[in-house]
Amino acid sequence: MKLRSIALALTVMLPVCSFAQSRDNGRVERLQDHVYTLAADDMSGRKAGSPDAARARDYIERQFTEMGLKPLFTNGYEYQFQRQGVTYTDVAGIILGNGYSDEYIVVGAHYDHLGINGRGEVFNGADDNASGTAAIIEVARELIARGSELKRNVIIAAFDAEELGLYGSEALCSLLSKEELLGKVKLMMSVDMVGWYGKSHYLKLEGIGTIESGKSIVRELAEADDINLKLKKFENSVFTATDTEAFAKAGIPTLAVTTGTKSPYHKPGDDPQLIDYQGLGKVSDYIADFTVLAASDTTFRGSGRVAEKHSGKSRLFEAAVTAYAGGTNMNFTKSGLTTKSGSSIGAGVSGQFNFKHFGLRADALYTRNNSTLPDPADVYSSNIPFRYSTVTVPLQVLFQTQGPSRGYFGVGAFYSYLIEGQGAGFDFKRNTFGVAFSLGAKISHLGFSVNVMMGADAFTDKSISADPITTFAGISYYF
């Protein structure tokens, strides 16, 4: 199945009408009709690949047909693809531009949801994502009306099987790549969960850093549309994903558009009566205006930057703050005596250079340690408390997997400066050295590690020769 030939399609006249300054008064009512239809109980949750999803798809196609949206594919709106032996179906149309006929803007939303659980509860998915599907239907309607303003082609896509793993958007991305059109996509927007503007009080745009001058563009347009934005340069969370992912990994500028997660998404209570339809109207207006801008402004382009999680590469330099807790004991090397472990807590900062599968990490940690020392009067039977604080600087070489989320093993050395120590009968050195080991993982902005630091230069006077051993678990936040 191939995409409609652009050369052929350009010979087809598009319906064009003048766009009034005031918004379409019937839009909010139509949005409500779309959501109530797609998220009705008798749709049974629109589970991907099911007859209920097919009924939702039929509704979307009827809307596209009635408004005059041209099918994207040579044999209609539908594109079928398979995953693990199951057939799924995307629905897509195209509004042809008048100038840059070989360039595209993609606006997509997934129409599938979770179906019915084992207790017979229907996951209607009004916000997730009947709201986004309703929005792109109305965006398509407005873009057709404003077709004379568009220089680039606009693809409107309703994706199947997002809930199963972003399969629908991945399928379209693969098809565009196969047809050698993916490199001509100037922007991809995923409209996912946009029905709770009244409760969130913002429309979140993630990915403005992928667009040249993205922040100023979206803010100027928001002022004109009187809508409050929450902006993020990039999509960073590895725990959430939307249909931008396949396009972003291909280096395409992307925007994830949402009103957030305040709705009862992925719960049976995500019902149509909870949607803010006036807010959904404002969101649809904004998406339409932004799409017109991206499709009509010849200076609109990508920044060349991509989210770390989409690049598959680690940043060259990373900085983090770290907190840890663990235990410290004293190893008396000459006698073979090791004292009981006491608590150890600390915090600090770190910097790390990444070179593919190797890294170089330096930390500066302030520590407070509690341990015990043998009583000089009765070395083997009695212990006295020992408290000390240090500034410790470990330097480690890391052997790591590559990517923004990764695992690693580190080995190196540390230097420790004693700020103060309290323990009777011993003379403590200010400067000590030792070896350091770490095992950990970084997931998005968070790092988790288990660390061991073993003193190798006697902490006490050499006649007694005691070395500290500190084992701790750390948590880091990467900027």
Side-chain angles (χ1 to χ4, degrees), residues 81-211:
F81 60 95
Q82 287 197 330
R83 290 291 189 279
Q84 299 174 339
V86 179
T87 299
Y88 304 103
T89 308
D90 287 345
V91 181
I94 188 168
I95 302 144
L96 299 173
N98 296 304
Y100 290 78
S101 59
D102 64 341
E103 295 182 356
Y104 299 83
I105 306 296
V106 178
V107 182
H110 74 92
Y111 68 88
D112 66 302
H113 199 47
L114 300 178
I116 302 174
N117 67 15
R119 296 187 296 273
E121 296 172 307
V122 179
F123 289 75
N124 286 321
D127 190 35
D128 185 14
N129 188 34
S131 66
T133 305
I136 67 165
I137 291 172
E138 291 307 306
V139 167
R141 192 186 309 277
E142 181 166 324
L143 295 179
I144 291 171
R146 301 173 66 179
S148 61
E149 300 178 44
L150 309 180
K151 292 183 173 63
R152 298 182 172 103
N153 309 298
V154 179
I155 295 172
I156 304 292
F159 299 122
D160 198 1
E162 186 270 357
E163 298 288 2
L164 300 180
L166 311 175
Y167 293 159
S169 51
E170 182 182 281
L172 179 61
C173 185
S174 296
L175 179 62
L176 290 170
S177 179
K178 180 180 178 181
E179 297 290 328
E180 299 183 351
L181 297 175
L182 185 60
K184 298 174 182 178
V185 174
K186 299 304 175 184
L187 176 71
M188 189 278 173
M189 280 191 287
S190 171
V191 185
D192 195 349
M193 296 174 57
V194 288
W196 276 58
Y197 182 81
K199 291 292 180 67
S200 67
H201 304 296
Y202 61 74
L203 178 66
K204 182 190 287 187
L205 304 180
E206 297 185 68
I208 60 168
T210 67
I211 301 168

Side-chain angles (χ1 to χ4, degrees), residues 236 306-315 318 403-404 406 442:
N236 291 317
V306 66
E308 185 184 5
K309 79 169 190 173
H310 293 142
S311 72
K313 299 178 180 178
S314 306
R315 285 181 291 172
E318 296 173 311
R406 57 186 180 272
K442 176 179 178 286

